[in-house]
Amino acid sequence: MSGGSGQGTQQHFLVAGGGIGGLSAALALARAGQRVTVLEKAAALGEIGAGIQLGPNAFHAFDYLGVGEAARAIAVYVDKLRLMDAATGEDITSIDLGDGFRKRFGNPYAVVHRGDLHGVLLSACSAHPQIELRVKSQVLDYEQDGSSVTVRLASGERVTGSALIGADGLWSAVRKQVVGDGAPRVSGHSTYRSVIPTEQMPEDLRWNAATLWAGPKCHIVHYPLSGWKVFNLVVTYHNDAPEPVAGKSVPMDEVMRGFEHIHERAQQIIRHGNDWKLWVLCDREPVSNWIDGRVTLLGDAAHPTLQYMAQGACMAMEDGVCLGQMMINFPDNIEKALAAYQSRRVLRTARVQLQSRAIGEHIYHADGVHAQLRNTIMRAKTSADWYESLAWLYGNTALSENSMAAAA
Ligand SMILES: Cc1cc2nc3c(=O)[nH]c(=O)nc-3n(C[C@H](O)[C@H](O)[C@H](O)COP(=O)(O)OP(=O)(O)OC[C@H]3O[C@@H](n4cnc5c(N)ncnc54)[C@H](O)[C@@H]3O)c2cc1C
């Protein structure tokens, strides 16, 4: 990976959306020598929600973006990914994230606060002279003439650049025009999130692990966050919820309803939660085309996924890195750079989208014989087996010299 700037004429990229994906793209493009204007709909740049898990591939991306040290400073390094049976309260298996894991993948596995992660990217963007960050700038649509793209903002203002990156999330306005595949698919899975002070977490469960309790049609995730001050709780119930919901406050009784059938040891975790917020999860079918002329998509706008592989933000950052590198490879040819970006990203991100759904069905929400089979298969795996099966995702293959080379 070169990470250096391209030699061609400087282009002006418009990036719709200032989330983790949009800021990663802005940083990567600016480091590739381009000028960037980020157009964010909200009145302030920030992130809603608490924790986020980051695989080693996120750290490969941080290093490329020049924020590796800052990102490492905000992380909690968990020792294990621990899988529990929520129906029986027993251990199923765990993946060791220690030295063997780090050596194999070249980087650690960590959990961070979303706001802290966004803050690291935001400070780097704010400090970069070639990046302009604009808030209250909702992109409605775009038009293009072969050499430039003009976006229309909700304010009525028009902004013109050489290309447009739609990093405007699950409900992307840019995707509506590029792909036009309607509303996202409602998964029917309800996710409730809470953050509790560490002293409220049952003492025997204060593990330095990203722990997942898999139960019939439901699962619970918890891990320590913010220097062990709090635990992040994310609990999901497959209740065939029909409508998308994002961040609605709900009472504890409603949350408990989905978990009455699981073991007391797992149930008690939920009772410690408070101020629960509900999301009804959505994703989309993978599509092969993210490009319209000088416009492309990135992050959740391109490949929204269920969170079951904890990879949505990691993929958004990788997208940004890849886009920047393609502008280094093809500095005078935006169309070629966008095509090269797309061809390197579509199958990898589709794999995450499809595998996340499969994991939900066969691992996280299995019941009866299905669950027994899961436990038997997973208990038979060694650390070496796990590392092998995760190599496609966590290894640096997606951002390596070879896969980022101009001709690859
Ligand atoms: C419960 C849950 C847990 C998750 N856990 C993990 C995890 O552990 N690890 C992981 O890697 N990922 C995780 N994810 C996924 C991750 O949060 C997303 O994939 C990631 O945040 C996507 O980033 P993005 O920048 O593409 O989109 P977004 O974060 O949605 O950002 C889009 C931005 O665009 C702005 N915007 C929207 N429309 C417009 C417009 N028309 N004009 C201008 N601006 C606009 C928005 O205000 C927002 O700032 C999780 C997701 C959920 C729901």
Side-chain angles (χ1 to χ4, degrees), residues 16-23 39-42 45-47 51-54 114 118 137-140 167-174 191 193 223 234 279 281 298-301 305-307 309-317:
I20 291 166
L23 295 189
L39 301 162
E40 165 58 47
K41 159 172 99 166
L45 285 153
E47 272 281 317
I52 198 159
Q53 302 183 48
L54 297 174
R114 271 168 190 273
H118 189 269
S137 299
Q138 181 181 359
V139 172
L140 295 183
D168 47 347
L170 180 67
W171 297 91
S172 168
V174 180
T191 283
R193 290 152 110 175
Y223 49 81
V234 184
W279 275 257
L281 304 174
L298 181 145
D300 277 6
T305 177
L306 301 181
Q307 80 266 22
M309 293 177 77
Q311 277 290 323
C314 300
M315 287 295 126
M317 289 189 283

Side-chain angles (χ1 to χ4, degrees), residues 40 51 72 109 111 145 304:
E40 165 58 47
R72 284 179 181 81
Y109 194 102
V111 292
D145 62 9

Side-chain angles (χ1 to χ4, degrees), residues 214-219 236-240 258-259 261 360 364-367:
K217 285 199 147 199
C218 70
H219 72 274
T236 300
Y237 179 40
H238 186 175
N239 58 347
D240 299 309
F259 300 86
H261 58 302
Y364 296 177
H365 295 167
D367 191 9

Side-chain angles (χ1 to χ4, degrees), residues 157-208:
E157 188 189 345
R158 286 167 191 273
V159 186
T160 299
S162 327
L164 168 66
I165 311 304
D168 47 347
L170 180 67
W171 297 91
S172 168
V174 180
R175 182 183 180 110
K176 199 169 168 191
Q177 220 171 319
V178 172
V179 185
D181 56 352
R185 184 192 76 111
V186 181
S187 68
H189 299 194
S190 294
T191 283
Y192 306 89
R193 290 152 110 175
S194 174
V195 174
I196 58 170
T198 295
E199 56 275 14
Q200 280 176 26
M201 185 70 180
E203 214 168 334
D204 63 327
L205 299 179
R206 285 182 210 161
W207 297 324
N208 187 25

Side-chain angles (χ1 to χ4, degrees), residues 105-355:
F105 300 121
N107 260 313
Y109 194 102
V111 292
V112 297
H113 197 286
R114 271 168 190 273
D116 293 345
L117 166 58
H118 189 269
V120 164
L121 296 169
L122 184 57
S123 329
C125 285
S126 306
H128 203 295
Q130 277 154 228
I131 300 177
E132 181 196 10
L133 298 166
R134 291 185 51 178
V135 292
K136 297 186 194 158
S137 299
Q138 181 181 359
V139 172
L140 295 183
D141 52 24
Y142 64 83
E143 53 192 34
Q144 55 187 323
D145 62 9
S147 60
S148 69
V149 183
T150 299
V151 299
R152 192 166 60 99
L153 302 185
S155 62
E157 188 189 345
R158 286 167 191 273
V159 186
T160 299
S162 327
L164 168 66
I165 311 304
D168 47 347
L170 180 67
W171 297 91
S172 168
V174 180
R175 182 183 180 110
K176 199 169 168 191
Q177 220 171 319
V178 172
V179 185
D181 56 352
R185 184 192 76 111
V186 181
S187 68
H189 299 194
S190 294
T191 283
Y192 306 89
R193 290 152 110 175
S194 174
V195 174
I196 58 170
T198 295
E199 56 275 14
Q200 280 176 26
M201 185 70 180
E203 214 168 334
D204 63 327
L205 299 179
R206 285 182 210 161
W207 297 324
N208 187 25
T211 304
L212 189 138
W213 300 73
K217 285 199 147 199
C218 70
H219 72 274
I220 299 172
V221 174
H222 55 80
Y223 49 81
L225 205 58
S226 300
W228 274 83
K229 288 192 197 72
V230 295
F231 263 77
N232 195 43
L233 304 184
V234 184
V235 306
T236 300
Y237 179 40
H238 186 175
N239 58 347
D240 299 309
E243 302 282 340
V245 175
K248 182 183 155 201
S249 289
V250 288
M252 166 80 84
D253 291 359
E254 184 180 325
V255 184
M256 279 312 300
R257 229 171 282 149
F259 300 86
E260 279 159 359
H261 58 302
I262 61 169
H263 194 273
E264 170 57 25
R265 196 167 176 223
Q267 263 192 42
Q268 59 163 334
I269 302 164
I270 301 172
R271 284 199 208 97
H272 290 280
N274 49 52
D275 193 18
W276 287 99
K277 299 268 188 327
L278 163 67
W279 275 257
V280 173
L281 304 174
C282 296
D283 66 0
R284 285 185 185 272
E285 295 305 326
V287 292
S288 57
N289 180 52
W290 304 343
I291 297 175
D292 172 22
R294 289 175 162 238
V295 182
T296 194
L297 304 172
L298 181 145
D300 277 6
H303 43 74
T305 177
L306 301 181
Q307 80 266 22
Y308 302 158
M309 293 177 77
Q311 277 290 323
C314 300
M315 287 295 126
M317 289 189 283
E318 281 190 3
D319 286 349
V321 167
C322 182
L323 188 62
Q325 184 63 43
M326 292 311 117
M327 281 308 296
I328 292 172
N329 293 357
F330 306 105
D332 287 316
N333 193 333
I334 288 185
E335 286 86 353
K336 208 165 171 185
L338 297 190
Y341 155 74
Q342 176 179 276
S343 78
R344 282 161 178 78
R345 298 301 302 159
V346 164
L347 292 187
R348 180 166 170 82
T349 53
R351 187 167 177 181
V352 170
Q353 288 173 287
L354 298 176
Q355 205 161 306

